[in-house]
Amino acid sequence: AARQQVAGLDGLLLDIGGDMRSWGRAPQAAGWQIGVAHGTRLADNGPVAAVLQLNNQAVATSGRGQRDLQVGEQLHSHTLSPANGQAVTLVSSATVLAPNAADADALATALSVMAPQQGLALIAQLPGVEALLQLADGRQQTSSGWHLAAAQREQRAGSFMHTADGAATTWPAGFVTSIDYEIPKVDAENYKAPFVAIWITDQNRNIVRNLTHLGTQEKWIDSNYVWWRRYGRKIDKLDAVTKPTRKPGKYSIAWDGTDEEGKKVGQGKYLVHIEASREHGGHTYQTFELELATKPLSQPVPAKEEMGGITLRFGKAV
């Protein structure tokens, strides 16, 4: 439909929440840069498990995520095994690369309920199809040709520990800061979702880490003018991330305690900045102080204008 409506269109990526189809010329010569969400990390800005170069192909992911079902204190996959009717436990997520989106979607679900070797044996019989399985025990298994589609990207590594004030005091082991937030659907004519920027600074508002920037058109990236004027910069970014689908409007990002250079920071006082602007709508800018020490914390923040409720947490990674 897009190709019929837009004259001269030479490239397109259609993303419906983690399942996507690419066509034509990508912004980068090697192809559309598509991250594969880590099977055990739900934060939208978390490190990816792999990066694909998509060229006139489709990719889909099925598995654990925000649609997990909670029974008592336990989370269970929303995908049930047809063999026994129980929630699947072996495969955390299955990502499938295929010529078309329908096949990718169906195969990703199938691989979620199959034994890993059985699933990869099926993929080996299908021309033009590759898969990545992330298992519940942390291992990864791939089809034989997966590496041909995977891009080589350098991983950041921390080098030393420091705090907001320079003292050498580390975070408790395994602790992360998470920010859960909701983008409300405002009852307005010609509604368009807002652009959202979230970043961390020290008490003097020196940048520590850019966490996320959500938007649909790069030309409007400066509409969050507080972030843009102080910290805007060219950031090496992915075109999209394939992941299991989630509940509408609810998002979660995490800060792992590293700065823009990948260096670890430690205990101290930090500022969380959240900015949102909407075409035909308003502009919201909020800051919250976080004092990160040795104890977990949970800090709810009421909704304001373009942003829904926000919860700041510091504690063990889930």
Side-chain angles (χ1 to χ4, degrees), residues 18-256:
D19 292 0
M20 57 193 72
R21 173 72 161 87
S22 71
W23 168 81
R25 187 170 63 88
Q28 303 182 60
W32 297 90
Q33 303 297 298
I34 307 299
V36 178
H38 198 290
T40 60
R41 297 171 182 166
L42 300 183
D44 293 330
N45 66 331
V48 294
V51 177
L52 293 172
Q53 294 175 332
L54 214 62
N55 288 284
N56 292 304
Q57 297 162 294
V59 64
T61 296
S62 180
R64 304 292 301 272
Q66 293 192 6
R67 293 187 181 273
D68 280 359
L69 305 175
Q70 184 165 349
V71 181
E73 298 297 321
Q74 297 294 319
L75 288 174
H76 302 271
S77 172
H78 70 287
T79 303
L80 304 181
S81 168
N84 56 22
Q86 300 298 309
V88 297
T89 58
L90 190 56
V91 176
S92 179
S93 75
T95 299
V96 174
L97 183 69
N100 65 74
D103 287 352
D105 186 30
L107 287 167
T109 302
L111 264 60
S112 295
V113 302
M114 299 173 71
Q117 292 307 314
Q118 181 186 15
L120 292 177
L122 169 63
I123 296 300
Q125 301 175 36
L126 304 175
V129 178
E130 303 295 342
L132 165 67
L133 300 181
Q134 299 183 65
L135 306 186
D137 61 8
R139 292 180 297 143
Q140 293 185 3
Q141 295 185 4
T142 65
S143 57
S144 59
W146 174 267
H147 68 284
L148 298 176
Q152 298 297 317
R153 290 173 69 94
E154 186 175 315
Q155 296 292 322
R156 293 192 318 179
S159 57
F160 61 88
M161 305 291 292
H162 66 276
T163 67
D165 60 6
T169 307
T170 64
W171 286 13
F175 273 41
V176 298
T177 295
S178 64
I179 304 169
D180 301 327
Y181 64 100
E182 184 173 4
I183 297 178
K185 177 67 179 295
V186 178
D187 186 13
E189 187 177 354
N190 197 19
Y191 172 81
K192 294 185 178 180
F195 280 54
V196 178
I198 302 177
W199 67 99
I200 304 288
T201 70
D202 62 19
Q203 291 289 94
N204 296 319
R205 298 181 183 267
N206 297 311
I207 189 68
V208 174
R209 180 76 178 273
N210 285 297
L211 294 183
T212 191
H213 195 287
L214 303 180
T216 55
Q217 298 184 56
E218 193 165 351
K219 66 179 181 179
W220 300 118
I221 194 172
D222 59 354
S223 61
N224 283 325
Y225 53 81
V226 177
W227 173 81
W228 177 255
R229 290 172 183 171
R230 296 177 181 174
Y231 314 106
R233 65 191 71 187
K234 184 177 180 181
I235 301 173
D236 180 27
K237 60 183 184 300
L238 300 172
D239 295 310
V241 174
T242 177
K243 64 180 69 178
T245 54
R246 63 177 170 218
K247 298 176 182 178
K250 296 182 182 296
Y251 302 83
S252 180
I253 62 173
W255 177 36
D256 61 359

